[in-house]
Amino acid sequence: MRNKNIVIVKIVIIGVVIAFAGIFLAHFIDLFGNGIFREWFYSRFIKRIPADGTEYPVFYNWADFKNFIIGVMIAVLVIVSAIIVLIMNYTNSRKSQEMKNTIEAQRLRAQRHEQLLQMESQRKSDLITYLAHDMRTPLASIIGYLSLLDEVPEMPADQRAKYVGITLDKAYRLEQLTEEFFEITRFNLQTIVINKQKLDLGLLLQQMADEFYPLLEPDRKSIHVETPETLFYKGDGDKLARVFNNIIKNAVSYSYPDTEIAIKASQEVSMVLVEVVSHGDPIPERQQKLIFEKFFRLDSSRSTKTGGAGLGLAIAKEIVDAHGGSISVKSDEQQTVFTVSLPVEQKGNGK
């Protein structure tokens, strides 16, 4: 209410100023017009009385002058009122439009948010259905091969070893699908809490690379780690290990056979940069923008070899974001590069 009164007072002041400016403007126009108004004014309200050889003006028609002043004041009030009405109408109209725009923008944001939630819920539901279906295949194989081993105890050793190997592979696949299933169900419930400690990032990357040796060997792939001799970073080692595990796992899954995956780390002034470079089919440009979204799967066919729940890179992004860093990908016909940028805490900042 106070703001509205202040606006009204300002408008009144502006209107009065404009009215008096108009009067003075009319006066100057009259001067340039040979004083037509002045002559009329003098002839109607003023007469000149001689005094000692000079003349001085005096009012002689107070009644008409009073009516003239009242008329002028009424005209000024009409002008000021008209200006106030016009300005207030314009102001109210603009505020009303701004309010409508704000309400509409909020409605669209809420609608978009609801749509995203529905899409995410549907994608989550679809993935659970897909995983449940995929879990039945290795489970059926495990049961089938174990049944054969149980029913034929005198089976030749080489054939038994073959069936045991197949059963073990199917069990590993079932374990992977089960982990993906639990990852989907617990994703919305987890809150990422960062416990920062000083860690040797170079050593961490080398250990992560060594863990992938069993997956690299069948396709004759290799990993080369290139880091400074000392690369210490203050961060959550367990969660950063998960970040690089997900990125390297993605590189191993989608790189060509007989290729090398390069892991490069460097220390900038205020950032630590880690790049994972692989060679495989390029990620389409439009999918490069979606690859870090929850439940996004790069391979639409849901290959049982590489198809995951679509949470690995999304979780990696959340962990990197929690460290105040960023994660990105660039992909073309030559190579695919995942880049993780982690901020370095400056000494003396009180952190």
Side-chain angles (χ1 to χ4, degrees), residues 107-338:
R107 185 188 69 81
L108 291 175
R109 281 197 297 268
Q111 185 180 25
R112 176 60 178 166
H113 181 67
E114 182 66 23
Q115 289 175 348
L116 290 175
L117 289 178
Q118 290 178 356
M119 290 172 60
E120 182 176 309
S121 177
Q122 183 62 44
R123 290 163 70 184
K124 180 177 178 180
S125 177
D126 291 343
L127 280 170
I128 291 175
T129 302
Y130 295 154
L131 285 174
H133 178 271
D134 287 348
M135 291 170 72
R136 294 173 61 183
T137 301
L139 181 60
S141 297
I142 292 171
I143 294 173
Y145 283 109
L146 288 177
S147 297
L148 283 173
L149 292 171
D150 182 59
E151 293 171 0
V152 187
E154 67 279 3
M155 184 181 297
D158 57 343
Q159 189 175 6
R160 178 179 291 273
K162 176 182 177 182
Y163 287 169
V164 169
I166 295 174
T167 303
L168 187 59
D169 288 341
K170 298 299 182 182
Y172 285 146
R173 177 55 183 163
L174 184 60
E175 180 186 35
Q176 179 187 354
L177 292 171
T178 303
E179 178 60 27
E180 291 175 5
F181 182 87
F182 280 113
E183 198 146 81
I184 290 174
T185 57
R186 72 186 177 215
F187 182 81
N188 291 335
L189 301 178
Q190 71 176 14
T191 301
I192 295 179
V193 179
I194 301 300
N195 298 312
K196 292 186 176 181
Q197 294 180 345
K198 186 177 180 181
L199 59 98
D200 188 335
L201 193 58
L203 178 60
L204 174 65
L205 293 172
Q206 185 62 59
Q207 290 174 343
M208 298 301 303
D210 292 341
E211 291 178 4
F212 281 90
Y213 178 78
L215 298 178
L216 297 167
E217 186 63 21
D219 291 329
R220 301 170 303 282
K221 301 177 185 178
S222 62
I223 295 181
H224 175 69
V225 180
E226 183 181 332
T227 67
E229 290 186 6
T230 56
L231 181 59
F232 292 103
Y233 180 74
K234 190 174 182 180
D236 192 317
D238 292 336
K239 291 185 173 61
L240 287 176
R242 190 173 185 185
V243 169
F244 298 121
N245 177 79
N246 289 338
I247 296 175
I248 298 171
K249 181 180 178 181
N250 185 83
V252 171
S253 298
Y254 292 99
S255 58
Y256 295 140
D258 299 300
T259 59
E260 180 183 82
I261 298 169
I263 302 176
K264 305 175 183 179
S266 60
Q267 171 78 62
E268 304 293 336
V269 176
S270 59
M271 302 290 292
V272 168
L273 299 179
V274 179
E275 293 183 338
V276 177
V277 184
S278 60
H279 306 275
D281 291 335
I283 302 173
E285 185 175 354
R286 64 179 185 84
Q287 290 185 339
Q288 293 179 30
K289 301 176 182 179
L290 304 173
I291 199 169
F292 298 105
E293 290 188 4
K294 290 178 287 186
F295 309 121
F296 177 79
R297 307 179 94 185
L298 184 61
D299 53 332
S300 59
S301 62
R302 297 183 296 108
S303 164
T304 56
K305 182 179 179 181
T306 60
L311 280 176
L313 293 177
I315 293 173
K317 183 179 186 304
E318 291 211 358
I319 294 173
V320 173
D321 288 345
H323 279 81
S326 63
I327 182 171
S328 61
V329 62
K330 290 184 179 179
S331 183
D332 53 33
E333 295 290 341
Q334 282 71 42
Q335 61 184 15
T336 295
V337 183
F338 282 87

